[in-house]
Amino acid sequence: MENVTIDVVSDVVCPWCYLGKKRLEQAIEAVADELNVSVTFRPYQLNPEMPPQGVDHKKYLAEKLGGKDAVDRAHGMLSDLGHEAGIDFHFEQIALSPNTLDAHRLLRWAAIEGPDVQSRVSLALFKAYFEDGRNIGDRKVLLDIAESAGMDRAVVTALYSAGADVDSVKEEIGLARQMGVTGVPCFIIDNKYAVMGAQTADVLVEALREVAALKRAESAAGACQVAVQA
């Protein structure tokens, strides 16, 4: 079975990233008999200048999107798309737009414990924010999420207190920008191929199969070259 890696560059306050995660899960399930897909979530901040305490969500979005009507239209469309993917968006419950640096630090530590743990933390962050209206800039909320995903609450508390990985996460976000990532989600497959945006599961399935086919062709070409040299 072909091995394929996916690095998902995303921000946990991006509804399209939540939608992209769900669609990616559907795509991976569709190719489960063909490919062994491993996923790592990479950090990105849509607004790195967001103050630590966050800002009023409704006011912030209205200013960003051009008024309440534009926000309502966007939320209506996302709610419909989310329903199809199994997401129950509750935008009306979101009071604050938080700074997501601490959430990305948590995702980094979760990745060290394994891709399954990181996936659980990622899902819990999206669900907490978009479905439950919780403030994922609040460290108590983040500690609750870490613990619910099987992480050691005391260890995570100590990591936050020590300021661990603040610079590392910022550097990784900067690297993504240098690579040309200007919007999220961005799916980087096998460190070579990028799929931008919350594409449908069918599009992601096609991309995974194409990359796998290219890998097989490259492997076959390499084997032929070795045989000729021998």
Side-chain angles (χ1 to χ4, degrees):
M1 188 179 291
E2 200 76 45
N3 293 317
V4 177
T5 64
I6 303 179
D7 290 283
V8 183
V9 184
S10 66
D11 197 357
V12 288
V13 291
C14 167
W16 294 103
C17 293
Y18 191 6
L19 187 62
K21 173 178 169 58
K22 286 288 190 176
R23 288 175 169 178
L24 177 61
E25 289 171 353
Q26 294 170 353
I28 291 173
E29 185 177 353
V31 299
D33 294 336
E34 311 164 41
L35 305 173
N36 179 32
V37 182
S38 60
V39 179
T40 303
F41 291 90
R42 302 294 185 183
Y44 195 86
Q45 285 191 286
L46 292 170
N47 188 352
E49 304 305 320
M50 186 70 71
Q53 71 274 16
V55 298
D56 181 275
H57 180 68
K58 292 178 176 59
K59 181 179 178 182
Y60 170 72
L61 269 191
E63 291 174 352
K64 182 178 179 180
L65 298 182
K68 182 178 181 302
D69 289 345
V71 173
D72 290 343
R73 285 193 299 272
H75 283 173
M77 176 179 62
L78 280 162
S79 293
D80 290 341
L81 293 172
H83 181 73
E84 295 173 3
I87 300 171
D88 189 15
F89 281 117
H90 283 289
F91 295 108
E92 74 283 354
Q93 294 192 32
I94 303 173
L96 287 175
S97 289
N99 186 296
T100 58
L101 181 61
D102 278 352
H104 286 302
R105 292 167 70 196
L106 178 60
L107 281 167
R108 185 181 184 88
W109 302 328
I112 295 171
E113 299 199 16
D116 290 343
V117 176
Q118 195 195 39
S119 182
R120 289 198 297 271
V121 170
S122 173
L123 179 60
L125 287 166
F126 281 127
K127 188 177 186 302
Y129 187 66
F130 287 111
E131 299 189 38
D132 303 330
R134 300 176 74 189
N135 176 14
I136 57 172
D138 184 331
R139 285 190 183 173
K140 182 182 182 305
V141 172
L142 295 172
L143 290 169
D144 288 345
I145 288 172
E147 189 172 24
S148 71
M151 299 177 71
D152 188 312
R153 189 184 187 97
V155 170
V156 176
T157 299
L159 288 168
Y160 276 130
S161 297
D165 289 315
V166 170
D167 290 339
S168 298
V169 170
K170 288 181 177 179
E171 287 172 6
E172 194 169 352
I173 293 170
L175 179 61
R177 294 185 187 279
Q178 289 174 21
M179 291 171 59
V181 178
T182 57
V184 287
C186 175
F187 305 93
I188 302 173
I189 306 175
D190 267 12
N191 294 315
K192 293 180 180 179
Y193 313 96
V195 178
M196 301 295 298
Q199 302 293 339
T200 64
D202 288 345
V203 169
L204 292 170
V205 165
E206 183 179 356
L208 288 170
R209 285 176 173 158
E210 286 183 0
V211 168
L214 287 169
K215 289 183 71 172
R216 286 192 294 271
E218 290 172 359
S219 178
C224 288
Q225 186 176 16
V226 169
V228 170
Q229 289 175 347

